[in-house]
C-alpha cells in the first residue's frame, strides 16, 4: 500500500484471479463454470477449514508441489491458519527431498478462511498453502515463497518466518 | 494500534473492524466492512463506484489538494511516549479536523453554488420565451407589466340550490 495516501491503481486493475480452484473447500455445489460466466453462488464462497482431502499448495523447495491433507492435528472441524496437518504428497518435483506418496507434516501458512487476530481484525489469504516440516517442527526446505502470517511466531515456527520473503 | 484506510472506500478502519486480504504477491487490501469487501470481490474499480472517496476525488466532487492533508502522512517510526506531546497532538488533531472539514464543506458549497446561478438564468429565459403559455399575447401587448400575474382568487363556494342537489 502506497504510503497511506491515495491508493494508486494501475490502468488495468490487477485483481486476484477468480478461477474455480479450491472448490472443495467451499460448500458450493460444483456447477461447471462456462468461460467468463460465474453463477451468483460462486460469489458467496464460504471458505472453511482445511480438512481431510483438502489439496494444498506447497510453498517451499522441499520437492513437493501439491499435498493432500489426511489429518489435521488439533481442531475438530479442521485446520486453520498456523495449524499443522499430516498430509500425503500428491505431486512432487522429480528431484526433491520429498517424494510422491510420502506422508509428511506441514504447517498451514496461507488459508483462504479468515483467521481472527488478537486486535479484532481478520486476515485471509488468496489460497491454501503449506510448508513441509519434520516431526520436530523444522522446515524441510530452505526457502519459503509468498507471504506468511505472523501467527507463526506464536506457534513457534520461527525458522519459517526467518525464511519468508514477506510477513503479512 | 494504527488506523488504516479502507482500500475501496478510503474510510478509516478502526481496530477490531474489517477484513484484511493478503494477495499472493504480498499486497495487503484492507476493507472497512463487508460492503467494500464484496465490491472488491466483484472486481469493481473503486474509481468508478460513485460513493467511494476515490471516485469523488477523481471527479472533483471533494477537495483533493490542501495543506491539512500534510498532517496525516503515514509515519513508520514509533514516537517515544511523551505526555505533553500526546496532549498537544490530540488538541491539534481536533483543530486540524475542524479546519479540514470546514474547507471541504466550503469546497462542496462552491461547487453547488454554480448550479443555483445557472438555474436562475434558465428560469429567467424560460419566463421571457414561454410566457405565452401562461398569459395571452394580447394581454401582454396591452400591459407590459403583466409578466408575473399575481391574481388572487377567492376560493369560497356558496352553497346554492344546485350544489345541494348535486351533493345529494
Amino acid at each position: 500500500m502506497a504510503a497511506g495516501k491515495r491508493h494508486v491503481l494501475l490502468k488495468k486493475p490487477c485483481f486476484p484471479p477468480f478461477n474455480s480452484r479450491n472448490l472443495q473447500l467451499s460448500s458450493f455445489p460444483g456447477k461447471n463454470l462456462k468461460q467468463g460466466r460465474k453463477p451468483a453462488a460462486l460469489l458467496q464462497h464460504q471458505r472453511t477449514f482445511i480438512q481431510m482431502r483438502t489439496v494444498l499448495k506447497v510453498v517451499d523447495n522441499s520437492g513437493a508441489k501439491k499435498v493432500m491433507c489426511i489429518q489435521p492435528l488439533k481442531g475438530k472441524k479442521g485446520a486453520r491458519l498456523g495449524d499443522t496437518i499430516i498430509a500425503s504428497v500428491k505431486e512432487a518435483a522429480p528431484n526433491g527431498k520429498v517424494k510422491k506418496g510420502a506422508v509428511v507434516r506441514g504447517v498451514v501458512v496461507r488459508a483462504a478462511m479468515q483467521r481472527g487476530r488478537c486486535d479484532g481484525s481478520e486476515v485471509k489469504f488468496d489460497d491454501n498453502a503449506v510448508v513441509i516440516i519434520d516431526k520436530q517442527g523444522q522446515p524441510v526446505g530452505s526457502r519459503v515463497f509468498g507471504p506468511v502470517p505472523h501467527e507463526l511466531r506464536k506457534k513457534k515456527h520461527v525458522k519459517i518466518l526467518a525464511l519468508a520473503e514477506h510477513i503479512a | 494500534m494504527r488506523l488504516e484506510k479502507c482500500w475501496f472506500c478510503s474510510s478509516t478502519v478502526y481496530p477490531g473492524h474489517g477484513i484484511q486480504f493478503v494477495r499472493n504477491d504480498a499486497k495487503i487490501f484492507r476493507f472497512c466492512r463487508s460492503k467494500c469487501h464484496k465490491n472488491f470481490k466483484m472486481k469493481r474499480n473503486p474509481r468508478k463506484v460513485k460513493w467511494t472517496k476515490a471516485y469523488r476525488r477523481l471527479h472533483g466532487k471533494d477537495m483533493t489538494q490542501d495543506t491539512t492533508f500534510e498532517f496525516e502522512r503515514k509515519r513508520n517510526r514509533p514516537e517515544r511516549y511523551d505526555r505533553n506531546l500526546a496532549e498537544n497532538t490530540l488538541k491539534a488533531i481536533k483543530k486540524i479536523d475542524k479546519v479540514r472539514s470546514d474547507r471541504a464543506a466550503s469546497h462542496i458549497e462552491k461547487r453547488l453554488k454554480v448550479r443555483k446561478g445557472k438555474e436562475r438564468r434558465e428560469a429567467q429565459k424560460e419566463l421571457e420565451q414561454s410566457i405565452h403559455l401562461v398569459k395571452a399575447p394580447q394581454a401582454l401587448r396591452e400591459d407590459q407589466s403583466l409578466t408575473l400575474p399575481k391574481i388572487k382568487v377567492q376560493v369560497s363556494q356558496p352553497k346554492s340550490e344546485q350544489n345541494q342537489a348535486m351533493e345529494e
Side-chain angles (χ1 to χ4, degrees), chain A residues 9 14 110 122-124 127, chain B residues 16 20 22-24 37 45:
Chain A
L9 272 187
C14 44
R110 292 204 283 274
E122 299 194 319
V123 228
K124 58 153 80 169
D127 59 351
Chain B
Q20 189 177 302
V22 184
R23 207 163 59 181
N24 277 350
H37 189 29
N45 188 351

Side-chain angles (χ1 to χ4, degrees), chain A residues 139 141-145 158-166:
Chain A
S142 54
R143 282 182 71 190
V144 166
F145 305 108
V158 197
K159 190 99 197 293
I160 300 180
L161 284 172
L163 295 169
E165 53 185 44
H166 189 269

Side-chain angles (χ1 to χ4, degrees), chain B residues 2-79:
Chain B
R2 174 164 266 192
L3 300 180
E4 308 282 356
K5 290 276 179 205
C6 172
W7 185 85
F8 199 82
C9 65
S10 317
S11 62
T12 34
V13 186
Y14 283 88
H17 288 261
I19 288 189
Q20 189 177 302
F21 171 63
V22 184
R23 207 163 59 181
N24 277 350
D25 60 357
K27 186 156 162 64
I28 301 179
F29 298 89
R30 288 174 220 269
F31 305 106
C32 58
R33 55 200 197 279
S34 64
K35 175 179 182 180
C36 304
H37 189 29
K38 284 180 182 158
N39 271 294
F40 173 79
K41 284 198 269 189
M42 274 195 265
K43 300 193 177 188
R44 286 204 180 147
N45 188 351
R47 291 190 167 195
K48 292 195 170 177
V49 179
K50 295 243 165 89
W51 50 271
T52 55
K53 248 331 194 215
Y55 175 95
R56 288 187 65 88
R57 290 214 188 104
L58 184 71
H59 288 78
K61 311 280 184 189
D62 271 349
M63 192 167 62
T64 41
Q65 297 208 348
D66 197 33
T67 42
T68 43
F69 292 145
E70 297 295 309
F71 291 107
E72 215 182 305
R73 254 178 303 130
K74 185 175 184 183
R75 293 160 178 88
N76 282 318
R77 266 220 190 129
E79 298 268 343

Side-chain angles (χ1 to χ4, degrees), chain B residues 78-136:
Chain B
E79 298 268 343
R80 174 161 285 175
Y81 179 73
D82 178 23
R83 192 186 170 155
N84 291 329
L85 181 68
E87 198 181 322
N88 291 337
T89 312
L90 284 170
K91 281 198 206 141
I93 287 175
K94 274 212 179 114
K95 194 149 192 210
I96 294 168
D97 237 13
K98 185 169 179 309
V99 168
R100 189 187 61 225
S101 45
D102 284 344
R103 286 189 192 172
S106 73
H107 178 272
I108 294 174
E109 232 181 271
K110 258 185 249 165
R111 183 169 58 88
L112 296 176
K113 224 199 273 183
V114 185
R115 187 157 54 108
K116 228 182 189 167
K118 196 175 177 198
E119 275 177 1
R120 249 195 107 96
R121 272 180 270 128
E122 277 182 8
Q124 183 90 341
K125 209 171 188 187
E126 193 185 347
L127 197 62
E128 290 166 9
Q129 288 177 348
S130 337
I131 191 64
H132 60 273
L133 296 170
V134 176
K135 198 88 182 91

Side-chain angles (χ1 to χ4, degrees), chain A residues 50-164:
Chain A
I50 292 173
Q51 44 193 314
M52 199 188 296
R53 304 284 278 173
T54 303
V55 173
L56 299 107
K57 198 162 76 164
V58 176
V59 287
D60 56 8
N61 57 353
S62 57
K65 291 268 180 259
K66 286 242 154 68
V67 114
M68 181 189 283
C69 171
I70 51 183
Q71 187 69 242
L73 301 170
K74 279 206 182 257
K76 205 166 174 185
K77 294 188 216 167
R80 306 167 91 152
L81 190 63
D83 294 341
T84 26
I85 58 168
I86 302 183
S88 150
V89 178
K90 287 295 174 188
E91 199 184 299
N95 40 356
K97 283 180 232 170
V98 177
K99 304 277 176 224
K100 179 167 165 207
V103 172
V104 292
R105 282 178 182 232
V107 163
V108 179
V109 294
R110 292 204 283 274
M113 176 162 148
Q114 63 262 27
R115 172 133 198 167
R117 290 239 159 116
C118 45
D119 67 348
S121 62
E122 299 194 319
V123 228
K124 58 153 80 169
F125 290 82
D126 206 2
D127 59 351
N128 300 311
V130 84
V131 164
I132 302 203
I133 58 173
D134 59 13
K135 267 256 171 83
Q136 276 71 42
Q138 301 300 313
V140 169
S142 54
R143 282 182 71 190
V144 166
F145 305 108
V148 297
H150 52 74
E151 264 82 356
L152 297 178
R153 195 179 298 271
K154 196 147 182 247
K155 309 266 181 176
K156 306 282 192 276
H157 293 117
V158 197
K159 190 99 197 293
I160 300 180
L161 284 172
L163 295 169

